[in-house]
Amino acid sequence: QAARAHGMGCAASIGGQRMGGACPPGLSPCCDATDASGDDLRMTDSMAPVVGDGADQGFLNKFSRQNAALGAEVTMKMTKMRALVVGCTGVAVEVTKNLILQGIGAITLCDAKTAQIADLGANFFLSEADVGKPIAPTLVPKFKELNPFCNIQAVAALTHDLVLQHSVVIVCDRMPIDDLIKWDDFCRRASPKPIAFLMVHTGGVFGNVFVDFGPSHIVVDGNGQHPMIRLVDTIESGTEALVRVVVPDGQTPGSFPDGSYVEFSDIKGCDGLCAHQEAAPTGEMVTAWKISSKSGDPVNTIRIGDTTKFPAYKGSGLMTEKKVGMPYPFKSLEETLKNPGCPFDNMVGTDMVNFGSELQSHLALHAVLALEKERNRPLANGEEDLAAVIAKAKALQASKESLLEIDVDEEIFKKFVRHFNSPLQPFCAFLGGVVAQEVVKISGKFTPIPGWLHVNAIEALPDDLPSDCAPKGCRYDNLAAVYGHGFIEKLSNLRHFMVGCGALGCEFLKNYALNGVCCGENGLLTVTDADRIELSNLTRQFLFREHNVGQPKSRAASGMAQVMNPGMKVKALEMFVGPKTEDEFNDDFWMGLDGICNALDNMEARFYVDDQCVKYQKPLLESGTMGPAGNVDPIVPMKTQTYRDGGQADEGGGIPMCTLRNFPHLPDHCIEWSRDQFELLFVKSGKQAKKFAEDPDTFINDRESSTDDAQAIFEVRGLLSLLRAAATPSVQSAGQMAFDYFHLLFRDKIQDLINAFPEDSRVIDPDTKQDKGSFWSGHKRFPKAAAFDPANPTHWQYQVSTTALFAQMLGALPLKKENDDNFVKDWRNQKWCAEQIKSLKVPEYIAGAVNTEGDAAAGGGDRAGGAAGGKTDSKDTLRALLRQLEEFKGKPLPALEEADFEKDDDYNFHIEFITRCANLRADNYHISNSDFQKVKLVAGRIVPAIATTTAAVCGLVMLELFKVVLGKPVEAFRTRQIGLAVNTYTSFEAEPPKKYASGVEKKVPKAEDLPADAFDEAGKIKPEFVISEPYAAYPENHSVWDKLEVPTPTMTLGGFKVWLANEHKIKLKSWGFVLGWKSTEDENGKEQRTPFSTQIYPPPLVLDPELFPPLTDGQGDAMKKLMGNPKVPQPAKMQYLNAWKQAKEKGVMPSTGGEAVKLDMSLKDVLLLMEKKADAAVQDGTMNPKWGKAITGLADRKVWVVPADQTPSCNTIPADDSDPVDVRYMASIQIPLV
């Protein structure tokens, strides 16, 4: 019974035909993996996508997110791979699913067993109707749905010939230790090159993986990160030459490790240095330099070899990291069973809390395998064989069959052995991601696991052994063996909310279904996602098929999850989660939940959901992925810190505006600039035309008074071109617009820069007048103005794409329809462009200005760019252009269609335009060009994503859900950071909530504000002159989870003040209530949101219009009347006067002012008034509606929570004669509404 339930039926397992026959000591001729033609049988191209203009582009589009993480070359290599998966266990189907999604060419499932009911707990493609059927053939058609290009077949027996037809063997089923060793050896000795061999096992909360790519594996790219790029500053002449480098704008600072290789380009001088070759560690000659360093070398320097044979360095140049092959030999299974290495040294470390548990797992696995060999039977369920396993482990050590010098930890062994035969679905999902990623590494991308990986989640086990673990003949038997059937019932009746249904959401839905979450009578999973399925989703979001493209994600995914488990209760919604949908996701909704699972891809939504979980005290399962990296963050009320407490995710360094505007030096700078041009040309230009048409005088006045002449001239020239084209909309006028912008962007603005800063310009210190060197040095590249060449592919492709986009804007060309891959197909050639150009007019060069803000060397302001080297007055140029604009006043403007940027349609000209625009910009500055796919990744902000990381992360999240249901303490929860590329599997105890306590802030005055005796002999400020400013926290040591709960909704504002004083010993000083946010700009002109508030306490004075002097009075008379009027309160007289002055300017007497806050108003009524004020502030334009209101939907709420950062200003009421202290940190305030 144990053998059947836990996968002992494979032809290569105990009791079956082993190895396909006897394996001789040496390799037989059948080990040659080539046929007579010399073709490698382990690779396939029969189902690979056709490479060509159409099919290849579609293939790249489908795998765009994966290519961002792995590179298109690795994805193409995957299409040539053949994988042999031995056993159709839970972890096997996870591995297979991930490999198929990542585009593997072929997979063979080897298993002779039939499906059992317990298999349904981890095998997502099996149903109750499949029980009793041969498992491998049953799965084949279901796997084929994931990727029609993958050749999938099923076999029953494992043979030599079968293995030789594959590039990797993955053993996921139980197999005798001798067979494992023999098959590993067979694969290592295969010819012409080794076959990769992997083994994976999971039982309970333990997982074990073995990897062997043979003795000659080569790693080409160990970390998968983009090559580091540095600007060359100087290159010394010497035998170990020192090279000084500068970090380019927008690049992450960092050092090249010793032994890295770099290549040089665009160097002036040092002729021959860029072509230098030397041997890589593999013996291959590469065009690169191996770098080193010496103790005491300055920062931002590296050393290369002998440069004395080269001419002197003259300037400029780039240094780029070169990824070269590195030998990465593997040891055999037999050798590493004896000695797996040391965790965090030559073995992957996984447990930062229980160091050394990896070795305990290894020894336990070795002992189980050896004991099964000795007894010729599988390990018994439970702890029956525990003593024998411990004894065998000690015997292995004594006989030196194991070289591990560790004491057996009997508690770990007990947990390992007890559930050895009970695979848990979360571990299957996690290891399925890990193992599939190891298969990808066969390509040479990333660093493989060097032998063994042992992981555990002992902290996820129940504190006490459940008493209801006996099997019931149901799909949940393996889960019950660890946690008990009572636990499963708790899971089934959970009411959960899943936010997002993309890659993470699909995996979570599958995991929920297989573990019975929300499958009970009272259970319900609410899933929401406003997106619809796109082609590029299919490589990661495995619940979707090609026929689902265009359908709502939440509904399609929920339907598939219910096929996996018909008992699952799911409510699918199609909406965002945020302030604007709080009528749907209201108090009743949040209060009725047991927990939330985020499956999001943006920080704003994550923070919003986190805030709601804090407000309603609900646990949150948070996770995320970025290529091969992932994270897990469990958020549990009162036990852990919140997601927001963890801080803002690193968004990476930005590129300074001055670099984008005038001084790009990397291809990425050109791409980012071109993405901005797309918005300027096809979105903002139309908006400006509409503004001009509505109010031309204001538009002209605003531009004339602009402080940025360069931008104003650009905008007006572009607007003139648009207005001329709009007067007679046609493809030809659209082409003229495109031609105008070519010369404006790539000729005129470049010429302006050249005129302002000629090639021989020098940097002169404005104070000392010292010559600091050439202006065009360092990262500044002297540009070259473009001249249109219809034979240049970049030029004519720019003209075609820009014409098509402008023609659609003008209505001269119908908008492209979705999935129309033949859109203006006859335009897409050089001949069409050449014909169009014949009738276009080359625009006259008009000298403009150069905005050098942000660049100190350039003067940090506007510089004229006239032909006379800066003599032309840019204001004169601007006024002349504005006079031309006057001619279009009052003329009708046709409807202009703004472009809606869509990165995943390769035929809509959006990425095409940005690609050509970026390369024209690059040509201006002598920068290398970028291909379409790179531009798509950068300009489309495509987040690298792969199925393996998603599966691994979601499996780990399920373990945190189990802990929440078990009510585990904070010490049991794990914050995890995984890196599948470099084998990082670290976990840490979750951080407890951040506490706020009272304290004293020390403020050091400015030295110039202090007397002479404030300094000691060393010149330091004496302690008595340091200002101590105490502050309070209330309640003391509170966290964001704590709240001050107002007892009743009828409490008045005055009563609230008394309640704070009497119950909490704090005095209400003032309260400015945040209604929402208004738009402002930061110092870089970037839009930002700023809180907009109104005063609640003290209640603001309400001005009585009856007391105002007549508006016909002069200011002096009005002041006399107000000062002499006894009805006007003395403290309010100046307020009345200021209000009268504003009314006089408008010529309208103010109204009564409407409702006002009063001390006798209930807090509920105060909040209702604030909601009205928020509505009014949005309507009158004071607040920006896109940020949302801070208060809304009160009619349907049961409580309102004032966030901690918006609480009233208070101070303490001391019990003694001490001074009051300002309350700096106050808990949020919960006000009941019913």
Side-chain angles (χ1 to χ4, degrees):
Q1 186 259 345
R4 171 74 285 285
H6 300 292
M8 303 296 292
C10 175
S13 60
I14 297 175
Q17 177 189 358
R18 300 184 184 183
M19 300 286 290
C23 187
L27 289 179
S28 65
C30 69
C31 293
D32 189 341
T34 58
D35 63 9
S37 67
D39 292 332
D40 191 341
L41 296 178
R42 294 169 301 187
M43 312 298 277
T44 179
D45 59 6
S46 59
M47 292 295 175
V50 179
V51 177
D53 291 342
D56 187 44
Q57 195 67 39
F59 176 76
L60 291 173
N61 189 25
K62 181 176 180 180
F63 287 93
S64 60
R65 275 63 173 173
Q66 177 174 309
N67 291 340
L70 305 180
E73 182 181 356
V74 173
T75 298
M76 294 302 292
K77 285 182 178 180
M78 288 290 294
T79 68
K80 303 290 185 179
M81 282 189 195
R82 299 177 63 97
L84 174 58
V85 179
V86 182
C88 291
T89 60
V91 70
V93 295
E94 290 283 352
V95 172
T96 303
K97 175 254 296 178
N98 294 330
L99 288 176
I100 293 173
L101 290 176
Q102 295 198 137
I104 195 167
I107 286 184
T108 303
L109 302 177
C110 180
D111 201 325
K113 303 187 305 297
T114 57
Q116 304 297 307
I117 189 66
D119 294 333
L120 274 63
N123 195 320
F124 45 82
F125 275 156
L126 291 179
S127 67
E128 291 187 12
D130 297 321
V131 173
K133 296 180 181 178
I135 193 168
T138 300
L139 293 174
V140 168
K142 299 179 182 181
F143 276 125
K144 282 185 175 179
E145 294 178 4
L146 296 177
N147 184 356
F149 294 114
C150 183
N151 187 1
I152 307 170
Q153 59 182 335
V155 298
L158 186 64
T159 66
H160 291 164
D161 290 340
L162 178 66
V163 170
L164 291 172
Q165 295 174 29
H166 295 82
S167 42
V168 56
V169 176
I170 310 163
V171 178
C172 303
D173 212 343
R174 298 279 289 282
M175 189 180 285
I177 187 172
D178 286 348
D179 288 358
L180 288 169
I181 290 173
K182 288 176 182 177
W183 278 120
D184 175 57
D185 184 65
F186 180 83
C187 290
R188 287 174 64 85
R189 294 171 181 261
S191 174
K193 64 179 181 179
I195 299 169
F197 180 86
L198 291 88
M199 184 205 81
V200 57
H201 173 267
T202 180
V205 293
F206 291 84
N208 318 98
V209 176
F210 173 71
V211 179
D212 181 2
F213 291 170
S216 56
H217 181 68
I218 294 174
V219 174
V220 177
D221 183 357
N223 58 24
Q225 296 175 359
H226 292 299
M228 292 175 61
I229 300 175
R230 295 293 181 263
L231 303 173
V232 178
D233 188 38
T234 60
I235 301 176
E236 294 182 354
S237 179
T239 55
E240 293 179 277
L242 188 73
V243 180
R244 297 179 183 272
V245 296
V246 177
V247 179
D249 293 332
Q251 291 280 305
T252 304
S255 302
F256 293 89
D258 275 4
S260 300
Y261 288 76
V262 297
E263 53 186 340
F264 293 90
S265 60
D266 298 333
I267 298 288
K268 292 182 180 178
C270 289
D271 297 344
L273 183 136
C274 297
H276 170 81
Q277 289 191 326
E278 54 185 87
T282 60
E284 174 192 11
M285 296 301 294
V286 294
T287 303
W289 292 81
K290 185 176 182 179
I291 67 171
S292 62
S293 63
K294 289 184 177 181
S295 177
D297 281 352
V299 295
N300 290 326
T301 62
I302 56 110
R303 289 186 181 273
I304 56 177
D306 188 355
T307 61
T308 56
K309 57 186 177 182
F310 301 113
Y313 171 75
K314 294 181 180 179
S316 73
L318 289 177
M319 184 178 76
T320 306
E321 180 184 10
K322 177 89 169 183
K323 306 268 186 170
V324 301
M326 299 284 183
Y328 199 90
F330 283 82
K331 297 179 180 179
S332 69
L333 174 62
E334 184 174 26
E335 185 177 358
T336 57
L337 267 174
K338 291 182 179 180
N339 184 8
C342 181
F344 300 102
D345 182 12
N346 55 351
M347 175 187 183
V348 177
T350 60
D351 197 338
M352 300 288 288
V353 180
N354 304 298
F355 184 78
S357 65
E358 301 92 342
L359 298 181
Q360 296 290 336
S361 294
H362 185 88
L363 184 56
L365 177 65
H366 191 177
V368 168
L369 293 173
L371 186 66
E372 288 183 337
K373 173 186 175 182
E374 182 180 288
R375 294 181 172 183
N376 197 31
R377 70 167 176 83
L379 193 72
N381 292 325
E383 299 180 20
E384 179 183 330
D385 288 336
L386 175 61
V389 172
I390 293 175
K392 174 55 71 173
K394 293 179 179 179
L396 290 172
Q397 290 178 303
S399 65
K400 300 301 181 182
E401 292 176 77
S402 173
L403 300 179
L404 291 178
E405 297 179 355
I406 58 174
D407 294 330
V408 171
D409 187 323
E410 295 193 6
E411 278 301 310
I412 291 182
F413 267 62
K414 181 190 295 185
K415 294 177 174 66
F416 185 91
V417 170
R418 181 189 294 154
H419 303 128
F420 187 79
N421 294 324
S422 302
L424 289 180
Q425 190 276 332
F427 255 88
C428 292
F430 168 65
L431 294 174
V434 171
V435 172
Q437 189 63 39
E438 291 305 299
V439 175
V440 174
K441 295 177 184 179
I442 296 171
S443 67
K445 185 85 169 186
F446 305 139
T447 303
I449 294 170
W452 286 96
L453 170 74
H454 298 289
V455 293
N456 73 77
I458 295 173
E459 76 287 345
L461 288 171
D463 294 334
D464 300 312
L465 191 63
S467 59
D468 57 345
C469 296
K472 293 184 177 181
C474 71
R475 65 165 66 223
Y476 306 120
D477 278 352
N478 284 323
L479 181 59
V482 180
Y483 289 97
H485 289 283
F487 175 81
I488 295 171
E489 184 175 357
K490 290 181 180 179
L491 288 178
S492 71
N493 287 308
L494 289 177
R495 300 183 72 84
H496 257 230
F497 184 28
M498 186 176 298
V499 188
C501 199
L504 291 167
C506 285
E507 286 291 327
F508 283 134
L509 275 166
K510 177 255 298 178
N511 295 348
Y512 273 41
L514 296 179
N515 288 283
V517 181
C518 304
C519 295
E521 182 179 352
N522 299 316
L524 178 66
L525 176 64
T526 301
V527 183
T528 188
D529 194 312
D531 285 348
R532 291 182 174 257
I533 300 163
E534 299 175 355
L535 180 66
S536 62
N537 298 150
L538 303 184
T539 60
R540 309 173 324 281
Q541 303 174 18
F542 92 105
L543 296 184
F544 306 141
R545 308 291 183 265
E546 289 204 17
H547 69 267
N548 294 129
V549 171
Q551 297 177 2
K553 286 186 175 182
S554 59
R555 299 191 185 280
S558 297
M560 288 292 291
Q562 288 175 313
V563 171
M564 294 177 184
N565 191 335
M568 193 175 191
K569 310 290 195 318
V570 188
K571 180 181 179 181
L573 301 174
E574 300 172 50
M575 58 181 65
F576 295 104
V577 177
K580 295 182 180 179
T581 55
E582 288 181 356
D583 54 340
E584 175 73 27
F585 305 117
N586 54 25
D587 289 352
D588 287 334
F589 174 80
W590 290 100
M591 290 176 175
L593 295 174
D594 296 308
I596 294 88
C597 179
N598 266 353
L600 291 163
D601 60 0
N602 69 88
M603 296 303 296
E604 182 180 357
R606 282 188 168 104
F607 283 143
Y608 175 82
V609 175
D610 181 62
D611 290 344
Q612 299 305 102
C613 290
V614 171
K615 177 179 179 179
Y616 296 102
Q617 304 250 322
K618 301 297 178 181
L620 170 64
L621 302 172
E622 177 57 70
S623 58
T625 69
M626 178 70 77
N631 64 279
V632 176
D633 295 285
I635 313 298
V636 186
M638 312 306 295
K639 294 181 180 180
T640 71
Q641 68 177 12
T642 69
Y643 186 73
R644 190 181 288 275
D645 282 344
Q648 176 75 51
D650 182 15
E651 300 288 349
I655 304 171
M657 282 303 300
C658 59
T659 297
L660 292 179
R661 192 186 297 120
N662 297 318
F663 308 116
H665 41 277
L666 294 180
D668 283 14
H669 299 165
C670 300
I671 298 171
E672 291 288 354
W673 177 86
S674 299
R675 177 66 178 86
D676 290 342
Q677 303 314 302
F678 181 92
E679 290 295 317
L680 284 172
L681 270 62
F682 309 117
V683 180
K684 294 181 180 178
S685 66
K687 293 182 184 293
Q688 287 189 340
K690 292 172 187 175
K691 284 185 178 180
F692 171 78
E694 292 168 359
D695 190 352
D697 291 331
T698 300
F699 185 92
I700 291 172
N701 290 336
D702 287 346
R703 296 307 176 277
E704 190 166 11
S705 59
S706 172
T707 58
D708 186 350
D709 288 351
Q711 184 63 23
I713 291 171
F714 175 83
E715 289 178 358
V716 175
R717 286 189 65 184
L719 179 57
L720 285 167
S721 181
L722 174 54
L723 293 174
R724 294 186 188 108
T728 55
S730 65
V731 171
Q732 191 68 16
S733 63
Q736 185 63 58
M737 275 188 72
F739 207 46
D740 289 347
Y741 268 108
F742 174 91
H743 293 88
L744 176 55
L745 291 170
F746 309 111
R747 184 195 67 182
D748 296 0
K749 288 184 74 68
I750 298 300
Q751 191 60 53
D752 289 342
L753 186 62
I754 293 172
N755 292 340
F757 303 100
E759 191 169 10
D760 59 357
S761 295
R762 311 292 294 177
V763 179
I764 307 297
D765 188 291
D767 298 322
T768 64
K769 307 304 179 186
Q770 180 182 359
D771 187 332
K772 300 176 70 174
S774 172
F775 177 82
W776 295 103
S777 61
H779 67 269
K780 292 186 175 73
R781 291 169 172 249
F782 184 71
K784 176 185 69 175
F788 192 88
D789 178 4
N792 185 315
T794 300
H795 290 209
W796 72 255
Q797 287 168 4
Y798 158 87
Q799 182 66 22
V800 169
S801 59
T802 313
T803 299
L805 291 169
F806 276 138
Q808 291 175 86
M809 173 192 280
L810 294 169
L813 179 69
L815 296 178
K816 181 188 178 298
K817 295 180 180 179
E818 190 173 358
N819 300 322
D820 179 9
D821 295 348
N822 292 312
F823 182 62
V824 292
K825 189 175 182 179
D826 56 334
W827 292 19
R828 301 172 187 264
N829 57 79
Q830 189 267 339
K831 183 179 179 182
W832 185 91
C833 176
E835 284 298 316
Q836 186 200 52
I837 292 298
K838 292 178 182 178
S839 59
L840 300 183
K841 178 183 178 182
V842 177
E844 178 187 359
Y845 168 63
I846 299 174
V850 178
N851 185 339
T852 58
E853 184 177 355
D855 190 281
D862 271 353
R863 288 286 294 266
K871 303 290 185 182
T872 301
D873 187 343
S874 58
K875 278 295 183 188
D876 288 344
T877 301
L878 178 58
R879 293 187 190 103
L881 291 169
L882 291 173
R883 283 194 294 271
Q884 294 181 45
L885 207 53
E886 295 271 0
E887 300 172 9
F888 291 91
K889 291 169 64 173
K891 292 186 178 181
L893 183 71
L896 298 175
E897 187 72 33
E898 296 175 6
D900 184 9
F901 179 68
E902 173 51 62
K903 61 184 177 294
D904 287 319
D905 185 343
D906 291 347
Y907 298 91
N908 65 3
F909 290 109
H910 293 190
I911 296 297
E912 179 73 18
F913 165 82
I914 296 172
T915 302
R916 306 315 157 198
C917 196
N919 289 337
L920 283 166
R921 179 78 164 175
D923 290 344
N924 283 146
Y925 287 90
H926 317 287
I927 298 170
S928 59
N929 281 196
S930 301
D931 62 33
F932 184 94
Q933 289 299 321
K934 176 180 178 176
V935 173
K936 182 175 183 175
L937 296 179
V938 177
R941 314 283 196 268
I942 291 178
V943 177
I946 46 178
T948 50
T949 314
T950 305
V953 162
C954 293
L956 293 174
V957 169
M958 292 303 295
L959 296 173
E960 301 307 308
L961 172 60
F962 289 2
K963 298 172 192 177
V964 171
V965 176
L966 289 169
K968 288 278 189 175
V970 64
E971 294 80 16
F973 291 95
R974 294 288 182 268
T975 296
R976 301 183 187 270
Q977 301 287 336
I978 68 170
L980 300 185
V982 292
N983 310 313
T984 302
Y985 300 99
T986 52
S987 61
F988 308 89
E989 290 184 2
E991 290 288 335
K994 179 181 178 181
K995 299 289 186 179
Y996 295 92
S998 303
V1000 177
E1001 181 181 4
K1002 300 289 187 180
K1003 293 186 175 180
V1004 180
K1006 294 181 179 179
E1008 56 267 28
D1009 296 336
L1010 293 173
D1013 60 352
F1015 303 91
D1016 60 19
E1017 294 179 355
K1020 295 183 178 180
I1021 299 174
K1022 296 177 181 178
E1024 58 266 29
F1025 286 91
V1026 175
I1027 300 170
S1028 296
E1029 187 175 287
Y1031 59 86
Y1034 189 82
E1036 190 68 32
N1037 289 316
H1038 73 272
S1039 76
V1040 71
W1041 296 106
D1042 294 297
K1043 296 182 181 68
L1044 299 181
E1045 297 186 9
V1046 174
T1048 170
T1050 59
M1051 178 180 283
T1052 64
L1053 180 57
F1056 175 69
K1057 177 183 178 182
V1058 173
W1059 177 71
L1060 286 177
N1062 293 342
E1063 296 293 326
H1064 302 284
K1065 306 304 177 189
I1066 55 177
K1067 180 182 178 181
L1068 178 63
K1069 294 197 304 180
S1070 63
W1071 189 356
F1073 194 93
V1074 176
L1075 300 177
W1077 295 268
K1078 58 183 180 180
S1079 291
T1080 58
E1081 290 187 352
D1082 62 16
E1083 57 188 15
N1084 294 319
K1086 185 177 180 181
E1087 186 181 38
Q1088 61 183 7
R1089 71 178 204 170
T1090 303
F1092 176 74
S1093 60
T1094 188
Q1095 184 175 321
I1096 284 182
Y1097 184 87
L1101 175 69
V1102 179
L1103 301 179
D1104 183 358
E1106 296 293 329
L1107 302 181
F1108 277 67
L1111 297 183
T1112 54
D1113 285 355
Q1115 183 172 332
D1117 291 336
M1119 180 181 292
K1120 287 179 183 178
K1121 290 178 180 179
L1122 287 171
M1123 294 301 175
N1125 189 342
K1127 293 182 180 181
V1128 179
Q1130 187 64 37
K1133 291 186 182 293
M1134 289 307 298
Q1135 286 179 266
Y1136 268 90
L1137 178 61
N1138 290 332
W1140 176 88
K1141 289 164 61 178
Q1142 293 177 3
K1144 185 175 178 66
E1145 289 177 5
K1146 296 179 180 179
V1148 179
M1149 189 69 77
S1151 62
T1152 57
E1155 297 179 79
V1157 175
K1158 300 177 183 177
L1159 284 174
D1160 60 357
M1161 288 179 69
S1162 70
L1163 290 179
K1164 179 179 179 179
D1165 287 339
V1166 171
L1167 292 174
L1168 288 169
L1169 179 57
M1170 294 302 103
E1171 184 177 21
K1172 290 181 181 178
K1173 288 181 175 290
D1175 290 338
V1178 170
Q1179 291 174 5
D1180 67 19
T1182 304
M1183 295 194 323
N1184 191 329
K1186 82 173 182 179
W1187 301 124
K1189 294 173 289 189
I1191 182 166
T1192 184
L1194 290 181
D1196 298 321
R1197 295 185 185 276
K1198 293 184 176 180
V1199 297
W1200 181 260
V1201 176
V1202 179
D1205 60 350
Q1206 297 177 20
T1207 51
S1209 176
C1210 301
N1211 58 27
T1212 60
I1213 301 176
D1216 51 22
D1217 294 333
S1218 58
D1219 294 330
V1221 177
D1222 285 337
V1223 178
R1224 180 177 295 183
Y1225 303 112
M1226 189 172 180
S1228 58
I1229 301 171
Q1230 180 170 296
I1231 302 171
L1233 300 177
V1234 293

